[in-house]
Amino acid sequence: MDSGGVTVVGAGGRMGAALVRALGTERVPGLALAGALDGPNCPDLGTDAGALAGVGSLGIPVTADFAEATGPAEVLIDFTLHQVTAALAPKVAEAGKAWVIGTTGLDADETAAVEAAAARVPVVMAPNMSLGINLLFVLLADAARALQDRGYDIEILERHHRKKKDAPSGTALGLGKAVADALEWNLDEVACHGRSGYTTEDRPTREIGFHAIRAGDFAGDHTVLFSTEGESLEFSHRATTRDTFAMGALQAAAWVRHQAPGLYSMRDVLGL
Ligand code: NAD
């Protein structure tokens, strides 16, 4: 198999470290660490990415220089911040690199910047890289259609670590979108984010509730609840380690480098 060089973008972060660890221990044949990019304010610039991730020196220092970090790479894997991903889009397209994006929380303009890049290079973008969650996207569509107009309320609960920046999680929104699309609802119109206060009205039937817990070190728990009088059906997924997302992102990297320009999802990668 030919060897694909991977640059980890956000190499100093939690997901960055998980990716460097997986690449440094050769968990995905055919992929190797080629560069480690982080922001100008990263305290670890100049430190070896492997040493930083706890797998020993890999001879690749963390740098804030885009050209230096990405020059030898075929694929970039990006787990950073929404505004960073959007700002990178024209650079990635110009450099002609395949791109895997795990960053969440992008707004419409930021997503448009990624879409513009995807007209020129192959891009996989997914709010959750795990097989289990992507299978859940598929299963939920069936469940939502089967329970439609039968009096079931739909609520989505998620739990993440205390340092997570965006809420609700991109995965929770993705789960909500899977349900809304199946029911031909517009998610923006039916989403209800948290509840407080007093109402005299019953809960609307055409609503998807979102509840975000931030505490401790949860890697990511999601539950989609379909509930009616007399019974509830719950779909739950629990990520116990970030390695799950890292392995999914590496699978996406191995796949996307052989694709034509375009915007792909993990469902495309996994063939679901
Ligand atoms: P983190 O804060 O630990 O890491 C973010 C890294 O980005 C930091 O090292 C930061 O210094 C770096 N960064 C900042 N500015 C930069 C720049 N200009 N260029 C390059 N790097 C820069 O966050 P995390 O927990 O690793 O999560 C990162 C993102 O990934 C979040 O949006 C999170 O929601 C998402 N995420 C997605 C999945 C998935 O499966 N898709 C899984 C986990 C996390």
Side-chain angles (χ1 to χ4, degrees), residues 10 12-15 38-39 79-80 84 102 104 126-129 164 166 245:
R14 285 174 288 266
M15 278 304 302
D38 208 288
F79 284 81
T80 55
V84 172
T104 57
N128 194 304
M129 302 278 174
K164 184 164 177 60
D166 52 323
F245 308 128

Side-chain angles (χ1 to χ4, degrees), residues 186-236:
N186 179 332
L187 183 59
D188 291 336
E189 289 171 6
V190 300
C192 173
H193 294 285
R195 286 190 191 81
S196 69
Y198 179 84
T199 175
T200 54
E201 306 292 322
D202 286 353
R203 180 195 189 283
T205 50
R206 199 183 171 90
E207 182 169 277
I208 300 177
F210 288 89
H211 309 277
I213 293 166
R214 295 289 172 266
D217 64 351
F218 294 104
D221 291 3
H222 292 87
T223 295
V224 181
L225 171 69
F226 294 85
S227 190
T228 189
E229 290 174 22
E231 70 168 8
S232 287
L233 176 61
E234 291 186 23
F235 292 84
S236 288

